[in-house]
Amino acid sequence: AMKVVVTPVTPTLNKKDSITFVAAGGSATYTWAVNNPALGFINSSTGAFTAGNASGVVVVTATDARGATGSATATMPQF
């Protein structure tokens, strides 16, 4: 299976910041998810992420059409 690479891989965001993650290396289309929705929202089809009001670390995962995954880690520091 191809390796899915997500960029940026370790962004740091302030509260309410937005960033769009990009996946490459796999089979389109990608489905996006976060491991802690309390820390931010991600659009499952576009990879557009918006941080919430809390500090912490959230893992963003992209899953391609064949089930291969790649991830990135977004950090929201203490405000």
Side-chain angles (χ1 to χ4, degrees), residues 3-36:
K3 178 177 172 61
V4 176
V5 177
V6 175
T7 53
V9 67
T10 54
T12 298
L13 304 171
N14 292 314
K15 61 183 175 183
K16 299 296 183 186
D17 271 0
S18 295
I19 191 172
T20 298
F21 289 93
V22 177
S27 303
T29 54
Y30 300 96
T31 302
W32 296 90
V34 291
N35 68 334
N36 189 344

